[in-house]
Amino acid sequence: MNLMNIITKQLIEIIEWTDDSRDTLSYRWPDEDKEIKNGAQLIVRESQQVQFVSEGQFADLFGPGRHQLTTQNIPILSTLRGWKYGFNSPFKCDVYYINTRLFTGNKWGTSNPVMMRDKDFGVVRLRAFGTYDFRIVQPAKFLKEVAGTDQNFRLDEFADTMRSRIVSIFSEALAKAQVPVLDVAQRYTEMGDALLQLINPAVSEKYGLEITSFLLENVSVPPEVEQAIDKRSSMSAIGNLNDYVKYQMGQAMANGGEGAAAATIPATMAMGFGMAQEMMKGMQQPSGGAASDPFSPAAAQAAQAAPAAAAAAGAGLQVLTPEQAAQALGVTVQDVVTELESGALKGRKIGSAWRISQESLNEFLRG
C-alpha cells in the first residue's frame, strides 16, 4: 500500500447517519480522529439537521439534502477558520445530527399535589397528568442547553427534565389563571390549549424546543372536594327545592306506608291550626241574641269548647327543629338548612341552632 492510499483512507469523504432507534434526539457523528476532505459529501435525510461545531463554536447548519463541503457551502466555518480564498487541505470539525421529527406521546404529571385557591372550595390540592408532543426547532440552543457534547443523547435522558419543567410552568400558569376547580375538572381540551400558549414560549426559549400539543388527560381532587362537587351537581339537578318537596310528599302519599304518614304530618298540622283559628273567631264574634246571653245554652257550649280550641291553637303554633321539619317534609336535614339559609323557609337561628314555627312551615308549603 503506497503513501497516497494511506493518506486517502485517513480522510472522511462521506458523512451520513441513519437513525433506527426512534428515541435519539442528537447524535455526534464519530470521526475516529479523521479529517474531513475538501469537497466531501454530507448527506442529511428528512427529519434531520446537521450542526457543525468548530473548536467549541457553532458554525454552519445544514437541512435535508446532499451537500458538498466547499468554501461556498460552509461560509461560517470558513470565516472561523480564516479561509478567505478557499481551502485545499482537510480539516477537523464536530458534526452533530439533530433529529427534528415529532416526538409524540410523552407523559407528564404532578408528583406532588398542586395547591391552588378556589372561590368555591377554598384552598384545593390538585393532581394532574397527561401527554405532550414536541420537536427540536433550534439545534444550536438545544445542543448548548441540553445535549452538550453527548455522543448519543436519547429521549429518556431528557424526560425527567422536561417533565419537571412542564409541571413547574403548569402550576404557575394555573395559579395565575385562577380557573375554578369545576372548570379544570371538566374542560380538559380547552385547558390544554390555553396552557400550551403559556408553556410553549418558556420551553422554546430555554431549550430550543417547540411543544406542538399539550393534553390534560386527568385532573383529580381530594375525596372531600369530590363529595362537595357531587352535592352541588345533585342540587343543580333537583332545581327548585319547594317543588321537589311537594313532589316527594305527593309520591309518599300515593305509595302509602310510613312515608305517607310522615308526608301528611305538615298538612294535618295545618288543618288543625286552621280549625282552631275558626273556633276562636266564632268565640270572639257574637252571632245573635242567644250568643250574647252569658247564661244561654250556646254560651255554655262555647265556654266548654274554648279550652280545646286554645290547645289546638297551641299545637298549631309549635316550634320545630330542622330534624323534625326534615322528617315532616320527607327530605334531608341539609336540604332544610339550605332553605333556611337562603331565606325561602323562614326561621330563627338561636346560637348555632335553627328553630322553625309551624306557621312558617305552612307558608313554605303553600309556596
Side-chain angles (χ1 to χ4, degrees):
M1 181 178 295
N2 56 34
L3 181 61
M4 183 58 66
N5 289 337
I6 295 176
I7 295 176
T8 302
K9 287 184 178 294
Q10 294 298 319
L11 299 179
I12 299 172
E13 297 185 0
I14 298 178
I15 303 174
E16 65 175 333
W17 174 60
T18 57
D19 176 30
D20 57 358
S21 65
R22 304 298 298 170
D23 65 345
T24 300
L25 296 174
S26 67
Y27 177 77
R28 180 162 56 87
W29 194 78
D31 56 14
E32 299 177 353
D33 204 26
K34 296 180 181 179
E35 294 184 324
I36 301 173
K37 179 183 177 181
N38 178 20
Q41 300 294 312
L42 173 66
I43 300 174
V44 185
R45 290 175 168 77
E46 291 294 335
S47 299
Q48 290 181 346
Q49 285 188 326
V50 171
Q51 177 70 60
F52 275 46
V53 179
S54 175
E55 298 178 351
Q57 293 181 286
F58 291 107
D60 300 274
L61 180 67
F62 296 89
R66 179 183 288 269
H67 309 274
Q68 186 176 19
L69 301 180
T70 62
T71 306
Q72 291 76 19
N73 288 342
I74 47 177
I76 299 177
L77 183 62
S78 298
T79 301
L80 293 176
R81 290 298 185 97
W83 297 329
K84 297 180 181 181
Y85 308 104
F87 71 97
N88 296 315
S89 60
F91 66 95
K92 285 186 68 63
C93 190
D94 293 329
V95 179
Y96 289 90
Y97 275 85
I98 309 299
N99 200 334
T100 59
R101 74 172 182 86
L102 191 64
F103 290 86
T104 60
N106 303 281
K107 298 185 180 299
W108 68 273
T110 56
S111 56
N112 297 310
V114 177
M115 304 293 290
M116 65 171 291
R117 188 178 298 277
D118 184 76
K119 63 179 182 180
D120 296 321
F121 304 107
V123 178
V124 181
R125 304 185 306 277
L126 288 180
R127 289 184 180 273
F129 64 85
T131 60
Y132 66 95
D133 305 336
F134 78 96
R135 61 162 56 94
I136 301 172
V137 293
Q138 300 180 53
K141 179 170 289 187
F142 177 78
L143 290 174
K144 179 181 178 181
E145 299 294 339
V146 181
T149 60
D150 199 308
Q151 172 76 34
N152 190 359
F153 190 78
R154 295 180 178 274
L155 184 60
D156 57 357
E157 301 178 60
F158 188 51
D160 291 341
T161 301
M162 274 293 289
R163 187 181 300 110
S164 300
R165 183 67 174 174
I166 286 177
V167 170
S168 175
I169 299 173
F170 168 79
S171 304
E172 182 178 355
L174 196 62
K176 289 182 178 179
Q178 296 182 345
V179 181
V181 171
L182 291 175
D183 289 344
V184 174
Q186 296 173 3
R187 301 164 62 182
Y188 291 161
T189 302
E190 295 179 24
M191 283 293 299
D193 293 341
L195 290 170
L196 178 62
Q197 307 302 319
L198 301 174
I199 294 174
N200 205 23
V203 174
S204 177
E205 181 181 355
K206 180 67 175 178
Y207 302 122
L209 306 176
E210 177 190 13
I211 297 181
T212 59
S213 67
F214 181 79
L215 301 178
L216 275 171
E217 294 183 357
N218 181 267
V219 176
S220 60
V221 295
E224 58 271 19
V225 179
E226 287 185 355
Q227 293 174 5
I229 294 175
D230 292 341
K231 288 182 179 179
R232 176 161 297 190
S233 300
S234 300
M235 290 299 295
S236 299
I238 290 173
N240 188 296
L241 183 60
N242 189 17
D243 294 340
Y244 177 68
V245 170
K246 292 178 181 178
Y247 171 77
Q248 278 197 329
M249 289 178 62
Q251 289 293 101
M253 293 173 67
N255 294 335
E258 295 183 0
T264 56
I265 289 175
T268 304
M269 290 181 175
M271 291 173 62
F273 181 58
M275 293 174 63
Q277 285 182 324
E278 292 299 323
M279 293 177 67
M280 292 296 293
K281 288 180 181 178
M283 292 173 59
Q284 294 173 0
Q285 298 179 359
S287 57
S292 60
D293 184 0
F295 299 100
S296 65
Q301 292 178 357
Q304 292 177 355
L317 291 172
Q318 69 178 0
V319 177
L320 304 177
T321 65
E323 289 76 9
Q324 293 171 332
Q327 182 179 3
L329 296 175
V331 298
T332 65
V333 176
Q334 183 59 45
D335 291 338
V336 174
V337 173
T338 300
E339 291 301 307
L340 286 169
E341 292 177 345
S342 67
L345 175 59
K346 303 299 182 182
R348 183 175 296 277
K349 193 171 186 180
I350 304 174
S352 60
W354 284 96
R355 293 296 179 264
I356 310 156
S357 68
Q358 182 61 51
E359 183 179 0
S360 298
L361 192 61
N362 294 337
E363 289 180 1
F364 176 76
L365 292 175
R366 287 194 293 267

